[in-house]
Structure formats: structure tokens, C-alpha cells
Amino acid sequence: MNYSIILKIIGWVIQLEGIFFLPPAITGLFFGEQYDALIYMILGASGILLGGLIRLHKSSKTTFYAKEGFVAVALSWIIMSVIGAVPFVLTGDIPSYIDALFEIISGFTTTGSSILNNVEALSHANLLWRSFSHWIGGMGVLVFILAILPMTGGSTMNLMKAESPGPSVGKLVPKMQRTAFLLYAIYLAMTVVEILLLLAGGMPLFDSVCHAFGTAGTGGFGIKNDSIAGYSVYLQNVITVFMFLFGVNFTFYYYILVRRIKDAFRMEEVRWYFLIFLGAVVLITISLVAAGGALGESIRIVAFQVASIMTTTGYATADFNLWPQFAKALLVCLMFIGACAGSTGGGIKVSRIMIYIKQVRKELMQQIHPKRIRVLKMDGKALEHSVIHSCNTLLMTYIVIFIVSLLLVCLDGFDMTTSFTSIAATLNNIGPGLNVIGPTGNFSEFSALSKFVLMFDMLAGRLEIIPMMVLFHPATWKK
């Protein structure tokens, strides 16, 4: 285990988080919240200093491999969350540290689950920090570091694999640093475009920035108690479109930028993502119209909610707790499917669902034609056995974590729908669930034990489970 390079990366993360505290500090000053601004300034300076001191430790080895990559990423996210919760407590907006930790982990993992009963009671500085945490966690803080700091050997790929969502990670261009830079450039550009479109619709600058951060990271922290419902139809439609766009594999946008249009539309995952979205919108709309809803209004509300749930953003314009059972059941299915690999969305990912379906089809054909050799393909290319194996391993681990988490949360005595969807909402990084934790509810009534279980699930879901499991495996720390 190369402890020195892991420590150095953690130092970079702490220092970078210190810099990230500055926008909330500036926001606090602008809105006359001097005390909150001072807290963020002190924490920012402390983070920059502490991270710099940690980085003073010299290492003769500058490379590290898969095990170190998983450990570095998992520890970085935990430490980043532990520090990120502090301003909520010191400013007094969330007095309980456990609740503050839940809130910021939900932010960084782009989950959007909350313990707050009155979001509008928070200061502007804290509201920005909540939303900004989505943007930071959406693409990944380690990916950001890779974009600005070159590393050598196999280290960069191992960091990308550990933090990036999806069954496989590849290079868009020969150098991994350049790949990370391109991803963040696309991410930033799309965020800015959304802010401009929201401003064009009359949304205030502060609201536009916060909602763009929440949309880009597919996180869903709102700054109003009614989430997005109080904004105009135009603004809701803009957010619908960008939630959907941020759920697309970013490789698709790279291909579009370099004019490899055929390669872009050859991506099976993106085609499946489009079809699943359209199919869900049609079916749920039919369900609502059959229950007496107006067609035009139903299409608009359903498109927003399907985009929100499928991309695991979690914004709401309607209380889907009141929808027909079929519509709610379909939304729960979308929670598990999630968005594309290589996007900022959560869930199991469309690409993995494709692989599982293709595996089942292959096994069925194998029973019918035992002598025929079939190869699993995606985008016209044969899938490596390691990719299929990792998908199967993740699914089994996912199921075990889901069951254990559900049993622990059930100790709180909530109804099964609430308990089940609380795990689905956190492990898939979605935010709202059903019943107690529906669009108009929150997680404040859960016990401390359940909150820690759900915090673990949020981190495990965002980091694709394996880095968190490696961190807690005894063999990881043996020499």
C-alpha cells in the first residue's frame, strides 16, 4: 500500500475543498450574512493550510494501482464530507452534526435526500453550499484534480475507475489528464448554458445558479420548500431538458463536438436511455389521464418527474405520492435503472441493465442451441469478460447491501413502502422516495442508526460500491 501518495491526494482534496468554501463566503457577504461568511472564510483558509501541510509529506513513489485508487477515492469522499458538514453546524442552521453530515453526504453524492423541514430558513451561504456540493460531486472531485494535476503511471486510470460511474472507463483522448479536462469543460459549459436560459426566463441569479448546480450534478437540492413547483412552466421545462441531458453519457457529447456523429448515435446505451425515458413518459401519462388528468398538463408534469427520477436528480413539481399505483411502481423501477454510465446520474445504469438483458438472452439461446457460440456485444464491439464479471459482482453486492440496509432501517418501524424506497432513494442517489419520504417529506424522522446506514448507502451508490467495500476489507490494510 502506497500510503504516502494516498495522503498526498487527501491533502489535495482538503485544500481544494478549502477553495470551494470561498463561493459561499462571497455569497454570505453579498447578502449581508457576515457571520456565515466569516465561518466559511475561516474554514476555507484552514482547509487550504491543512491540505498544504499534509502535502508537504514527500513520497519517492508517484504511482499507485487499483487498491490504492479505491482507498484514496473512498477516504477522500469521507473526509470531504466530514469537513463539508462543519459550516452547517457552526452557522447554527443544522445544529446536529449527524444531520449536517447526512445533508452534505447527500449533497456530494448528488442524492438530494434531506433532513430539513424548512429549506427556506437556511442562509443564502448555506443554500449555495448545499447546491454547490451537487456540482462538485457530480463529475467528481478526484476527476477535477486529474484535470489540473498530471500524475504518472497507472494512477490516473485507477482514480478515474474508482470515482467515475459506470461499468467501464476509457480515454476519450490518449492522455487521461486531457480526458478529465474535456469532461469538466463539457460539464461547465452545459451548466453555464442552463444558468443563462434560466435567467432568460426571469429566474433570479442566485436561484438560477443553485438550480443549475442541482441539475448538472443531478442532485436535486432545492432552495424552496415546494422544490420547483413554484416556478413558471418555461423554467420547469428548461430544467426538464437539462436533467435529461445531464443523464446522457458524456462520451456522446464528446463525439458530437468532434463531429463523430455516427459514433455518437451508434452508442446503444444512449438509444436505450431515450427509449426508456419515452416509454415511461407515455405509460405514466396514460395512467394519469385515465385517472382524470388533462393530457397536455399530464405530459409536462410526467416528463419532468420521469427525467428527475431516471436521472436521479430528485426535483419535483408534483406530489407523485398521490399518483396511481401503476405510475408510482414505474417510478420505483426507474429509480433502479438510473441514467447512463459516464453521466452525473446514479442508479444501476442503463448500460448494466443492457448487459444483464443480453446475458439472459444469451443463456436462453445457449439452452436452445447448445453448440452455437454467442458473444456479448455493445456498440458493435465484443464485451470483455472482465466488464461482464464486474457487472455481475456489483449486482450481487448491491443486492446484499440493499437487503442488509433494509433490515436495519425497518427497525425504525416505518411502513414497508417508506423503508424500501428510502434504501432505493439513497443507494441509487435519487433523493425522494414514497410515503414519509415523498416529495413533500424528508428523512428527519429516521433514527441515528438509520441515518448512518443511509449515509453509507449514498456513498456506496455514488462510488459504485466497490471502493467503499475495499476500504472496509481487512486484506486492504495488510502489507
Side-chain angles (χ1 to χ4, degrees):
M1 180 74 77
N2 189 347
Y3 292 105
S4 297
I5 194 66
I6 291 174
L7 195 63
K8 187 172 183 179
I9 289 173
I10 290 173
W12 272 115
V13 169
I14 294 173
Q15 204 165 31
L16 191 59
E17 186 169 19
I19 296 171
F20 287 152
F21 278 140
L22 298 182
I26 296 170
T27 301
L29 287 174
F30 180 81
F31 285 99
E33 301 161 352
Q34 282 80 9
Y35 178 74
D36 288 18
L38 180 62
I39 292 295
Y40 277 101
M41 285 180 182
I42 293 173
L43 289 173
S46 300
I48 293 170
L49 178 61
L50 177 61
L53 290 174
I54 293 174
R55 286 180 44 241
L56 289 177
H57 181 75
K58 300 295 182 182
S59 173
S60 56
K61 298 179 180 179
T62 57
T63 61
F64 59 102
Y65 301 98
K67 180 171 69 174
E68 287 87 351
F70 289 140
V71 170
V73 167
L75 283 178
S76 294
W77 278 72
I78 291 172
I79 292 170
M80 186 170 65
S81 299
V82 168
I83 296 172
V86 174
F88 291 143
V89 178
L90 294 184
T91 58
D93 276 352
I94 307 179
S96 166
Y97 182 78
I98 293 176
D99 285 348
L101 186 61
F102 183 98
E103 198 77 9
I104 199 62
I105 288 177
S106 180
F108 282 134
T109 58
T110 72
T111 303
S113 300
S114 180
I115 50 79
L116 295 170
N117 292 308
N118 184 11
V119 173
E120 295 177 33
L122 269 62
S123 66
H124 289 84
N126 282 329
L127 284 174
L128 183 73
W129 178 234
R130 286 173 81 242
S131 298
F132 191 31
S133 66
H134 283 333
W135 197 85
I136 295 167
M139 190 59 68
V141 67
L142 276 300
V143 175
F144 182 83
I145 289 175
L146 290 180
I148 59 176
L149 297 173
M151 293 184 181
T152 59
S155 54
T156 53
M157 178 62 80
N158 285 313
L159 278 178
M160 286 280 282
K161 284 181 178 179
E163 192 177 47
S164 299
S168 62
V169 173
K171 299 178 181 180
L172 300 180
V173 291
K175 291 186 178 181
M176 186 55 73
Q177 183 191 16
R178 181 65 177 164
T179 295
F181 179 82
L182 283 172
L183 289 173
Y184 252 99
I186 295 170
Y187 188 49
L188 177 61
M190 289 175 65
T191 305
V192 171
V193 170
E194 183 182 0
I195 291 172
L196 294 175
L197 289 175
L198 292 175
L199 288 172
M203 184 181 283
L205 177 60
F206 179 78
D207 296 33
S208 298
V209 171
C210 287
H211 288 117
F213 284 160
T215 307
T218 60
F221 271 154
I223 60 174
K224 304 290 184 183
N225 291 330
D226 62 357
S227 188
I228 308 296
Y231 293 100
S232 69
V233 171
Y234 166 82
L235 294 173
Q236 291 177 13
N237 289 339
V238 168
I239 292 174
T240 300
V241 170
F242 276 89
M243 284 192 295
F244 180 82
L245 292 177
F246 279 107
V248 175
N249 192 320
F250 273 49
T251 303
F252 177 85
Y253 299 128
Y254 170 75
Y255 284 150
I256 295 294
L257 286 174
V258 297
R259 298 181 182 179
R260 292 168 58 180
I261 308 299
K262 289 184 179 179
D263 288 334
F265 287 96
R266 194 178 289 129
M267 296 177 67
E268 285 185 70
E269 183 184 31
V270 175
R271 296 203 303 270
W272 278 53
Y273 175 70
F274 273 75
L275 290 173
I276 292 171
F277 174 82
L278 289 174
V281 169
V282 170
L283 291 174
I284 296 177
T285 298
I286 292 172
S287 174
L288 293 189
V289 171
L295 179 59
E297 182 71 3
S298 295
I299 291 174
R300 184 180 64 80
I301 292 174
V302 170
F304 183 99
Q305 214 55 67
V306 168
S308 179
I309 294 298
M310 188 172 178
T311 63
T312 70
T313 304
Y315 283 140
T317 56
D319 186 359
F320 50 79
N321 254 333
L322 305 176
W323 288 5
Q325 293 297 326
F326 173 81
K328 291 192 287 187
L330 194 49
L331 286 178
V332 171
C333 292
L334 294 177
M335 289 181 183
F336 289 94
I337 295 172
C340 295
S343 71
T344 60
I348 293 173
K349 304 293 183 303
V350 174
S351 56
R352 288 198 183 93
I353 299 298
M354 289 171 53
I355 291 172
Y356 297 141
I357 292 174
K358 289 186 177 187
Q359 278 186 280
V360 171
R361 188 169 59 188
K362 177 187 174 184
E363 289 302 317
L364 288 174
M365 294 304 296
Q366 195 71 39
Q367 297 301 318
I368 298 171
H369 302 289
K371 295 183 180 180
R372 181 177 295 178
I373 298 175
R374 290 184 173 272
V375 179
L376 292 184
K377 293 183 178 182
M378 185 178 291
D379 301 336
K381 300 177 183 177
L383 284 169
E384 295 181 9
H385 177 72
S386 59
V387 173
I388 299 172
H389 177 74
S390 67
C391 287
N392 293 337
T393 301
L394 183 135
L395 180 62
M396 291 308 301
T397 311
Y398 178 98
I399 292 171
V400 170
I401 291 175
F402 196 103
I403 292 172
V404 173
S405 299
L406 180 60
L407 292 173
L408 291 172
V409 169
C410 279
L411 294 175
D412 279 358
F414 293 112
D415 62 274
M416 180 55 68
T417 299
T418 296
S419 299
F420 184 88
T421 57
S422 71
I423 307 302
T426 51
L427 190 55
N428 295 312
N429 303 132
I430 292 161
L434 296 174
N435 287 2
V436 175
I437 55 167
T440 60
N442 58 64
F443 289 75
S444 61
E445 296 180 32
F446 284 70
S447 66
L449 172 62
S450 291
K451 287 174 183 174
F452 276 110
V453 170
L454 298 175
M455 282 189 269
F456 174 84
D457 288 350
M458 286 188 279
L459 286 166
R462 172 58 182 84
L463 299 180
E464 304 276 273
I465 296 176
I466 301 302
M468 291 297 292
M469 301 305 292
V470 167
L471 185 64
F472 293 101
H473 198 290
T476 301
W477 307 102
K478 290 181 180 179
K479 292 185 178 180

